[in-house]
Amino acid sequence: MARAARSRTSPPDPPGRPRLRLPGPRRRPAVRDRSGAAGRPPTALHRRTRRPAPDSTLAPPARPYTRALGLLAVSLLGAWLGLLLLGGVRAPVGPMDTTMALRPALTGGTRITVPPLGDLELDSHRAPVRLDVAVDRLDPVRSAALVDHPERFAGLQQQVTRDVLRGAAGLVVTSCAAVAGGATALGLVVYRRPRRALAAGGLALALLAASGAAACATWNPKSVLEPRFSGLLSSAPSVVGTARSIVSEFDVYQKELARLVTNVSKLYDAASTLPAYRPDPTTLRVLHVSDIHLNPASWHIIASLVKQYRIGVIIDTGDTMDHGSAAENHFLDPVSALGAPYVWVRGNHDSRTTQRYLTGRRHVTVLDDGRVTQVAGVRIAGVGDPQFTPDRSVVAAGDAAERTAGGRLADALRTQRLAGTPVDIALAHNPAAAAEADGLVPLALAGHLHQRVISTLPQGTRLMVEGSTGGGGLRAVQDKQPAPVQASVLYLDRTTRRLQAWDEITLGGLGLTRAEVSRHLPRENQPGAPGGTPSPGPPTTPSDRPG
């Protein structure tokens, strides 16, 4: 077999002899290696395993950090585009329609746009996203509902809170979808690979979550006190002052006004030229206030008067609130710390909710339906106003309802007189109701008119209508001249519990610092007049004897 195999190779032809080619399979040419030596042709195995020579013209593969930076750039750009195109939500907030959106920003913060007035910027947080809130319009239907039904103000605070939380939740969901969708779409365009595109979307979502965590960690609720204005709103600080100065200066104003009352009272007491009546330390002093209408400065003034005059009991003839909503209830918290017992009757701006809240306060006595109480030795009866005028859904009943309520008060006064325990002072908010006590009590107190009116009723009862101790409350900014702040100190004989004299305290309205104190005497206590109870007669002028 070996010989046969070797015989297949023909011996070389002798020189000079032509070479004969026999028919058969054609031989493959020899393949030379790089050294030039001939060798066998490469087999199929060789062709498969042989690697091509490296080509110096091809680019080197990208490094890992270069790919990461590229992915980060695609994620940020896609997230930014997604927020711009899809990141806003429309949300109703109370009576307003707003648009909320997250926008990329280096310093964060909140921007509130109020067209056409301008922008209000707050340093609310430090994060690479800014919250933009645009007030689009005031919805006429919801606004008209509030105007026609002011009782809905009671739930407005809770409604606004719910609306803001609902809008914020919708904004979070929309922003997450926007950044993830924008980064994924841009990743498909750039990489043309689904896995890389999904990685870009996930990275964008993680960046948004980190920004939200940074915003929560750096949240500054006090930023509302230092806003920055632009547009027409830029003139707002020069007109009304900054929010911080308004808060701080108003607090200073309240304290200075109370101090002014104290100083003027001391001056009056030291330099009084009215020797006809000098109250001795045993005289019972009653402070009559009314129609505070949510003015917080009133509590400072009342506390100062209680301390200076050594007040034994405070009587409030109503309209302490403005809308009688539950949100206003905390305004009443200082009544327990004024330094004297507080007796209160409901006004036409005070709701039953207000009355229930005050009923549970310490040192507070609420009178209604002719209820009688004895405070500091004085027997007092009162009736609440039967009307609640902020409720526009109910037609006002007018003076007829007031006289009916006054009739219930008169019945209670007659019952007490027959029982041998006559009442010393009758209380009602409306003078029409208080007038029904004529002849049944020596003194009746009321408010409602926002001005002092003192008169003697036909059957001898003295009716004293107090002005507004809150200076008209929020209504003080509606008139050309602010309404004065008024209160009265009543001096009662501790034995007979009859009115001996009264001081009228009048302060300048909102922003004013004028203070006046004047003393007045009933006719029977004036020099040369015999003492006794008030006699029947026509109504007198607001001051029987000014001091």
Side-chain angles (χ1 to χ4, degrees), residues 493-546:
D493 184 274
R494 192 173 291 273
T495 302
T496 63
R497 294 175 295 279
R498 296 301 176 93
L499 182 66
Q500 302 297 309
W502 71 91
D503 288 345
E504 293 179 353
I505 295 98
T506 303
L507 307 176
L510 185 63
L512 304 180
T513 55
R514 176 177 55 88
E516 297 177 0
V517 180
S518 59
R519 179 160 296 171
H520 302 261
L521 302 177
R523 293 184 185 276
E524 62 273 12
N525 281 4
Q526 293 181 12
T533 60
S535 59
T540 65
T541 58
S543 60
D544 288 337
R545 183 180 185 276

Short mmCIF file of all heavy atoms in Angstrom, two decimals, residues 493-546:
data_model
loop_
_atom_site.label_atom_id
_atom_site.label_comp_id
_atom_site.label_asym_id
_atom_site.label_seq_id
_atom_site.Cartn_x
_atom_site.Cartn_y
_atom_site.Cartn_z
N ASP A 493 -71.76 99.85 91.38
CA ASP A 493 -71.72 99.77 92.84
C ASP A 493 -71.82 98.30 93.23
O ASP A 493 -72.73 97.59 92.81
CB ASP A 493 -72.85 100.58 93.45
CG ASP A 493 -72.79 100.61 94.96
OD1 ASP A 493 -73.34 99.66 95.58
OD2 ASP A 493 -72.21 101.55 95.52
N ARG A 494 -70.88 97.87 94.08
CA ARG A 494 -70.85 96.44 94.39
C ARG A 494 -72.05 96.02 95.23
O ARG A 494 -72.45 94.84 95.19
CB ARG A 494 -69.55 96.10 95.12
CG ARG A 494 -69.27 94.61 95.24
CD ARG A 494 -67.90 94.35 95.81
NE ARG A 494 -66.85 94.74 94.88
CZ ARG A 494 -66.37 93.93 93.95
NH1 ARG A 494 -66.86 92.71 93.81
NH2 ARG A 494 -65.40 94.35 93.15
N THR A 495 -72.64 96.95 95.96
CA THR A 495 -73.79 96.60 96.80
C THR A 495 -75.09 96.60 95.99
O THR A 495 -75.84 95.63 95.98
CB THR A 495 -73.90 97.58 97.97
OG1 THR A 495 -72.68 97.55 98.72
CG2 THR A 495 -75.06 97.19 98.89
N THR A 496 -75.36 97.72 95.32
CA THR A 496 -76.61 97.83 94.56
C THR A 496 -76.48 97.33 93.14
O THR A 496 -77.49 97.10 92.47
CB THR A 496 -77.06 99.29 94.53
OG1 THR A 496 -76.08 100.08 93.84
CG2 THR A 496 -77.23 99.83 95.95
N ARG A 497 -75.23 97.19 92.67
CA ARG A 497 -74.93 96.76 91.30
C ARG A 497 -75.58 97.68 90.26
O ARG A 497 -75.98 97.26 89.19
CB ARG A 497 -75.36 95.31 91.08
CG ARG A 497 -74.55 94.32 91.92
CD ARG A 497 -75.06 92.92 91.78
NE ARG A 497 -76.42 92.78 92.31
CZ ARG A 497 -76.73 92.64 93.60
NH1 ARG A 497 -75.76 92.63 94.52
NH2 ARG A 497 -77.98 92.49 93.99
N ARG A 498 -75.66 98.99 90.59
CA ARG A 498 -76.17 99.99 89.68
C ARG A 498 -75.01 100.74 89.04
O ARG A 498 -73.94 100.90 89.64
CB ARG A 498 -77.09 100.97 90.41
CG ARG A 498 -78.35 100.30 90.96
CD ARG A 498 -79.16 99.66 89.83
NE ARG A 498 -80.32 98.95 90.30
CZ ARG A 498 -81.54 99.49 90.39
NH1 ARG A 498 -81.74 100.76 90.08
NH2 ARG A 498 -82.55 98.77 90.81
N LEU A 499 -75.23 101.25 87.85
CA LEU A 499 -74.20 101.96 87.11
C LEU A 499 -73.90 103.31 87.77
O LEU A 499 -74.80 104.14 87.96
CB LEU A 499 -74.66 102.17 85.66
CG LEU A 499 -73.66 102.88 84.73
CD1 LEU A 499 -72.43 102.02 84.51
CD2 LEU A 499 -74.34 103.18 83.39
N GLN A 500 -72.64 103.54 88.13
CA GLN A 500 -72.21 104.79 88.76
C GLN A 500 -71.55 105.73 87.74
O GLN A 500 -71.70 106.95 87.84
CB GLN A 500 -71.22 104.49 89.88
CG GLN A 500 -71.77 103.57 90.96
CD GLN A 500 -72.96 104.20 91.68
OE1 GLN A 500 -72.89 105.33 92.16
NE2 GLN A 500 -74.04 103.44 91.77
N ALA A 501 -70.80 105.18 86.80
CA ALA A 501 -70.13 105.98 85.78
C ALA A 501 -69.58 105.01 84.73
O ALA A 501 -69.60 103.79 84.91
CB ALA A 501 -69.00 106.81 86.38
N TRP A 502 -69.11 105.57 83.64
CA TRP A 502 -68.46 104.73 82.63
C TRP A 502 -67.41 105.55 81.90
O TRP A 502 -67.53 106.77 81.73
CB TRP A 502 -69.46 104.12 81.67
CG TRP A 502 -70.11 105.06 80.68
CD1 TRP A 502 -69.69 105.38 79.44
CD2 TRP A 502 -71.31 105.80 80.90
NE1 TRP A 502 -70.55 106.27 78.85
CE2 TRP A 502 -71.57 106.53 79.73
CE3 TRP A 502 -72.23 105.90 81.98
CZ2 TRP A 502 -72.67 107.38 79.59
CZ3 TRP A 502 -73.33 106.73 81.84
CH2 TRP A 502 -73.54 107.46 80.66
N ASP A 503 -66.34 104.87 81.51
CA ASP A 503 -65.27 105.46 80.70
C ASP A 503 -65.39 104.93 79.27
O ASP A 503 -65.47 103.72 79.06
CB ASP A 503 -63.89 105.10 81.26
CG ASP A 503 -63.58 105.83 82.55
OD1 ASP A 503 -64.30 106.80 82.85
OD2 ASP A 503 -62.64 105.41 83.25
N GLU A 504 -65.34 105.83 78.32
CA GLU A 504 -65.37 105.45 76.91
C GLU A 504 -63.94 105.52 76.37
O GLU A 504 -63.31 106.58 76.40
CB GLU A 504 -66.28 106.37 76.12
CG GLU A 504 -67.75 106.23 76.50
CD GLU A 504 -68.65 107.17 75.70
OE1 GLU A 504 -68.10 108.01 74.97
OE2 GLU A 504 -69.88 107.05 75.81
N ILE A 505 -63.45 104.39 75.89
CA ILE A 505 -62.10 104.31 75.32
C ILE A 505 -62.25 104.26 73.81
O ILE A 505 -62.95 103.40 73.27
CB ILE A 505 -61.33 103.08 75.83
CG1 ILE A 505 -61.08 103.20 77.34
CG2 ILE A 505 -60.01 102.92 75.12
CD1 ILE A 505 -62.05 102.46 78.19
N THR A 506 -61.59 105.18 73.12
CA THR A 506 -61.64 105.25 71.65
C THR A 506 -60.22 105.31 71.13
O THR A 506 -59.45 106.19 71.53
CB THR A 506 -62.43 106.47 71.18
OG1 THR A 506 -63.75 106.43 71.73
CG2 THR A 506 -62.52 106.49 69.65
N LEU A 507 -59.88 104.37 70.28
CA LEU A 507 -58.55 104.31 69.67
C LEU A 507 -58.66 104.55 68.18
O LEU A 507 -59.68 104.25 67.56
CB LEU A 507 -57.90 102.95 69.92
CG LEU A 507 -57.83 102.48 71.38
CD1 LEU A 507 -57.26 101.08 71.42
CD2 LEU A 507 -57.01 103.43 72.20
N GLY A 508 -57.57 105.08 67.60
CA GLY A 508 -57.53 105.24 66.15
C GLY A 508 -57.63 103.89 65.47
O GLY A 508 -57.20 102.86 66.00
N GLY A 509 -58.22 103.88 64.27
CA GLY A 509 -58.40 102.63 63.55
C GLY A 509 -57.10 102.05 63.05
O GLY A 509 -56.01 102.42 63.50
N LEU A 510 -57.18 101.14 62.11
CA LEU A 510 -56.03 100.41 61.60
C LEU A 510 -54.94 101.36 61.13
O LEU A 510 -55.16 102.20 60.26
CB LEU A 510 -56.46 99.50 60.46
CG LEU A 510 -55.40 98.57 59.88
CD1 LEU A 510 -54.93 97.58 60.92
CD2 LEU A 510 -55.93 97.85 58.66
N GLY A 511 -53.75 101.26 61.72
CA GLY A 511 -52.63 102.08 61.33
C GLY A 511 -52.54 103.41 62.06
O GLY A 511 -51.55 104.13 61.91
N LEU A 512 -53.54 103.79 62.88
CA LEU A 512 -53.53 105.05 63.60
C LEU A 512 -53.15 104.81 65.05
O LEU A 512 -53.34 103.72 65.58
CB LEU A 512 -54.89 105.74 63.50
CG LEU A 512 -55.41 106.00 62.08
CD1 LEU A 512 -56.77 106.68 62.14
CD2 LEU A 512 -54.43 106.85 61.29
N THR A 513 -52.65 105.84 65.71
CA THR A 513 -52.20 105.70 67.10
C THR A 513 -52.84 106.74 67.99
O THR A 513 -52.26 107.16 68.98
CB THR A 513 -50.67 105.83 67.18
OG1 THR A 513 -50.27 107.08 66.58
CG2 THR A 513 -49.98 104.68 66.46
N ARG A 514 -54.03 107.18 67.66
CA ARG A 514 -54.76 108.14 68.50
C ARG A 514 -55.51 107.37 69.58
O ARG A 514 -56.06 106.31 69.33
CB ARG A 514 -55.74 108.92 67.62
CG ARG A 514 -56.64 109.88 68.39
CD ARG A 514 -57.50 110.65 67.41
NE ARG A 514 -58.25 109.76 66.55
CZ ARG A 514 -59.46 109.28 66.85
NH1 ARG A 514 -60.01 109.59 68.00
NH2 ARG A 514 -60.08 108.49 66.02
N ALA A 515 -55.54 107.92 70.77
CA ALA A 515 -56.24 107.29 71.89
C ALA A 515 -56.96 108.36 72.70
O ALA A 515 -56.38 109.41 73.00
CB ALA A 515 -55.28 106.50 72.77
N GLU A 516 -58.22 108.09 73.05
CA GLU A 516 -59.01 109.02 73.86
C GLU A 516 -59.72 108.23 74.95
O GLU A 516 -60.19 107.11 74.72
CB GLU A 516 -60.06 109.74 73.01
CG GLU A 516 -59.47 110.62 71.91
CD GLU A 516 -60.55 111.25 71.06
OE1 GLU A 516 -61.75 110.99 71.34
OE2 GLU A 516 -60.21 111.99 70.12
N VAL A 517 -59.76 108.81 76.14
CA VAL A 517 -60.50 108.24 77.26
C VAL A 517 -61.36 109.36 77.84
O VAL A 517 -60.84 110.42 78.17
CB VAL A 517 -59.57 107.66 78.33
CG1 VAL A 517 -60.38 107.08 79.48
CG2 VAL A 517 -58.65 106.59 77.73
N SER A 518 -62.64 109.14 77.95
CA SER A 518 -63.54 110.16 78.53
C SER A 518 -64.48 109.49 79.52
O SER A 518 -64.92 108.35 79.31
CB SER A 518 -64.36 110.84 77.42
OG SER A 518 -65.12 109.91 76.69
N ARG A 519 -64.75 110.22 80.63
CA ARG A 519 -65.62 109.68 81.69
C ARG A 519 -67.00 110.32 81.60
O ARG A 519 -67.13 111.51 81.31
CB ARG A 519 -65.00 109.93 83.06
CG ARG A 519 -65.85 109.42 84.21
CD ARG A 519 -65.01 109.24 85.44
NE ARG A 519 -64.01 108.20 85.24
CZ ARG A 519 -63.03 107.97 86.11
NH1 ARG A 519 -62.89 108.69 87.20
NH2 ARG A 519 -62.16 107.00 85.88
N HIS A 520 -68.01 109.49 81.87
CA HIS A 520 -69.40 109.96 81.78
C HIS A 520 -70.14 109.52 83.04
O HIS A 520 -69.87 108.45 83.61
CB HIS A 520 -70.08 109.38 80.54
CG HIS A 520 -69.38 109.72 79.26
ND1 HIS A 520 -69.78 110.73 78.43
CD2 HIS A 520 -68.27 109.18 78.67
CE1 HIS A 520 -68.97 110.80 77.38
NE2 HIS A 520 -68.05 109.86 77.52
N LEU A 521 -71.09 110.35 83.46
CA LEU A 521 -71.89 110.08 84.65
C LEU A 521 -73.37 110.03 84.28
O LEU A 521 -73.82 110.84 83.47
CB LEU A 521 -71.69 111.16 85.71
CG LEU A 521 -70.25 111.38 86.22
CD1 LEU A 521 -70.25 112.54 87.21
CD2 LEU A 521 -69.71 110.13 86.86
N PRO A 522 -74.10 109.09 84.85
CA PRO A 522 -75.56 109.15 84.69
C PRO A 522 -76.12 110.42 85.32
O PRO A 522 -75.50 111.04 86.19
CB PRO A 522 -76.04 107.89 85.43
CG PRO A 522 -74.85 107.02 85.57
CD PRO A 522 -73.67 107.94 85.64
N ARG A 523 -77.28 110.82 84.91
CA ARG A 523 -77.88 112.06 85.42
C ARG A 523 -78.03 112.01 86.94
O ARG A 523 -77.79 113.00 87.63
CB ARG A 523 -79.25 112.29 84.77
CG ARG A 523 -79.16 112.58 83.28
CD ARG A 523 -80.55 112.89 82.73
NE ARG A 523 -80.51 113.06 81.30
CZ ARG A 523 -80.19 114.20 80.68
NH1 ARG A 523 -79.87 115.26 81.41
NH2 ARG A 523 -80.20 114.27 79.38
N GLU A 524 -78.42 110.85 87.46
CA GLU A 524 -78.66 110.77 88.89
C GLU A 524 -77.37 110.83 89.70
O GLU A 524 -77.42 111.06 90.92
CB GLU A 524 -79.43 109.50 89.24
CG GLU A 524 -78.71 108.20 88.90
CD GLU A 524 -78.96 107.75 87.47
OE1 GLU A 524 -79.53 108.55 86.68
OE2 GLU A 524 -78.62 106.60 87.15
N ASN A 525 -76.21 110.63 89.07
CA ASN A 525 -74.94 110.69 89.78
C ASN A 525 -74.19 112.00 89.56
O ASN A 525 -73.10 112.17 90.07
CB ASN A 525 -74.04 109.52 89.34
CG ASN A 525 -74.43 108.22 90.00
OD1 ASN A 525 -75.42 108.17 90.72
ND2 ASN A 525 -73.67 107.17 89.75
N GLN A 526 -74.75 112.88 88.79
CA GLN A 526 -74.09 114.16 88.57
C GLN A 526 -74.18 115.03 89.83
O GLN A 526 -75.09 114.85 90.66
CB GLN A 526 -74.73 114.89 87.38
CG GLN A 526 -74.47 114.17 86.05
CD GLN A 526 -75.07 114.90 84.88
OE1 GLN A 526 -75.50 116.05 85.00
NE2 GLN A 526 -75.10 114.24 83.72
N PRO A 527 -73.25 115.97 90.01
CA PRO A 527 -73.27 116.82 91.22
C PRO A 527 -74.60 117.54 91.38
O PRO A 527 -75.14 118.11 90.45
CB PRO A 527 -72.13 117.80 90.96
CG PRO A 527 -71.22 117.10 90.02
CD PRO A 527 -72.11 116.27 89.14
N GLY A 528 -75.17 117.45 92.58
CA GLY A 528 -76.42 118.12 92.87
C GLY A 528 -77.65 117.30 92.59
O GLY A 528 -78.75 117.69 92.99
N ALA A 529 -77.50 116.15 91.91
CA ALA A 529 -78.67 115.31 91.61
C ALA A 529 -78.79 114.24 92.66
O ALA A 529 -77.80 113.65 93.10
CB ALA A 529 -78.51 114.68 90.24
N PRO A 530 -79.99 113.94 93.13
CA PRO A 530 -80.18 112.87 94.12
C PRO A 530 -79.89 111.51 93.51
O PRO A 530 -80.16 111.26 92.34
CB PRO A 530 -81.66 113.00 94.50
CG PRO A 530 -82.30 113.63 93.31
CD PRO A 530 -81.28 114.57 92.72
N GLY A 531 -79.29 110.64 94.28
CA GLY A 531 -79.00 109.30 93.78
C GLY A 531 -80.27 108.48 93.66
O GLY A 531 -81.30 108.78 94.22
N GLY A 532 -80.18 107.46 92.96
CA GLY A 532 -81.33 106.58 92.79
C GLY A 532 -81.23 105.85 91.48
O GLY A 532 -80.23 105.88 90.78
N THR A 533 -82.32 105.20 91.14
CA THR A 533 -82.36 104.42 89.92
C THR A 533 -82.67 105.32 88.75
O THR A 533 -83.22 106.40 88.90
CB THR A 533 -83.45 103.33 90.03
OG1 THR A 533 -84.69 103.98 90.24
CG2 THR A 533 -83.16 102.39 91.17
N PRO A 534 -82.32 104.91 87.53
CA PRO A 534 -82.64 105.72 86.37
C PRO A 534 -84.15 105.90 86.26
O PRO A 534 -84.93 104.97 86.43
CB PRO A 534 -82.09 104.88 85.19
CG PRO A 534 -81.07 104.00 85.80
CD PRO A 534 -81.55 103.71 87.18
N SER A 535 -84.55 107.14 86.02
CA SER A 535 -85.98 107.44 85.92
C SER A 535 -86.40 107.41 84.48
O SER A 535 -85.61 107.66 83.57
CB SER A 535 -86.26 108.83 86.51
OG SER A 535 -85.49 109.79 85.80
N PRO A 536 -87.69 107.08 84.20
CA PRO A 536 -88.15 107.06 82.82
C PRO A 536 -88.02 108.44 82.20
O PRO A 536 -88.12 109.46 82.85
CB PRO A 536 -89.62 106.64 82.96
CG PRO A 536 -89.69 105.96 84.28
CD PRO A 536 -88.70 106.66 85.15
N GLY A 537 -87.77 108.45 80.92
CA GLY A 537 -87.66 109.71 80.22
C GLY A 537 -87.30 109.48 78.78
O GLY A 537 -87.06 108.34 78.36
N PRO A 538 -87.24 110.52 77.99
CA PRO A 538 -86.90 110.36 76.58
C PRO A 538 -85.46 109.95 76.42
O PRO A 538 -84.63 110.15 77.30
CB PRO A 538 -87.16 111.77 76.01
CG PRO A 538 -86.95 112.68 77.19
CD PRO A 538 -87.45 111.92 78.38
N PRO A 539 -85.11 109.39 75.28
CA PRO A 539 -83.72 109.02 75.05
C PRO A 539 -82.81 110.22 75.14
O PRO A 539 -83.14 111.32 74.70
CB PRO A 539 -83.74 108.45 73.61
CG PRO A 539 -85.16 108.04 73.39
CD PRO A 539 -86.00 109.01 74.18
N THR A 540 -81.64 110.01 75.75
CA THR A 540 -80.67 111.08 75.93
C THR A 540 -79.65 111.04 74.80
O THR A 540 -79.66 110.16 73.95
CB THR A 540 -79.97 110.94 77.27
OG1 THR A 540 -79.22 109.73 77.25
CG2 THR A 540 -80.98 110.88 78.40
N THR A 541 -78.77 112.01 74.81
CA THR A 541 -77.69 112.02 73.84
C THR A 541 -76.71 110.91 74.19
O THR A 541 -76.75 110.36 75.29
CB THR A 541 -76.96 113.38 73.91
OG1 THR A 541 -76.48 113.58 75.22
CG2 THR A 541 -77.91 114.50 73.51
N PRO A 542 -75.81 110.55 73.24
CA PRO A 542 -74.89 109.45 73.52
C PRO A 542 -74.07 109.63 74.77
O PRO A 542 -73.61 108.65 75.34
CB PRO A 542 -74.01 109.43 72.25
CG PRO A 542 -74.88 109.98 71.18
CD PRO A 542 -75.74 111.01 71.86
N SER A 543 -73.83 110.82 75.24
CA SER A 543 -73.07 110.99 76.48
C SER A 543 -73.85 111.90 77.40
O SER A 543 -74.16 113.04 77.06
CB SER A 543 -71.69 111.59 76.17
OG SER A 543 -71.84 112.84 75.54
N ASP A 544 -74.21 111.38 78.58
CA ASP A 544 -74.93 112.19 79.54
C ASP A 544 -74.06 113.32 80.06
O ASP A 544 -74.52 114.44 80.25
CB ASP A 544 -75.40 111.31 80.70
CG ASP A 544 -76.53 110.40 80.27
OD1 ASP A 544 -77.22 110.72 79.28
OD2 ASP A 544 -76.70 109.37 80.92
N ARG A 545 -72.81 113.03 80.31
CA ARG A 545 -71.90 114.08 80.77
C ARG A 545 -70.49 113.72 80.33
O ARG A 545 -69.86 112.86 80.91
CB ARG A 545 -71.96 114.22 82.30
CG ARG A 545 -71.06 115.37 82.82
CD ARG A 545 -71.15 115.45 84.33
NE ARG A 545 -70.40 116.59 84.84
CZ ARG A 545 -69.09 116.57 85.09
NH1 ARG A 545 -68.42 115.49 84.88
NH2 ARG A 545 -68.50 117.66 85.57
N PRO A 546 -69.99 114.33 79.30
CA PRO A 546 -68.64 113.98 78.85
C PRO A 546 -67.60 114.50 79.80
O PRO A 546 -67.75 115.54 80.41
CB PRO A 546 -68.53 114.67 77.48
CG PRO A 546 -69.48 115.82 77.57
CD PRO A 546 -70.62 115.37 78.45
#
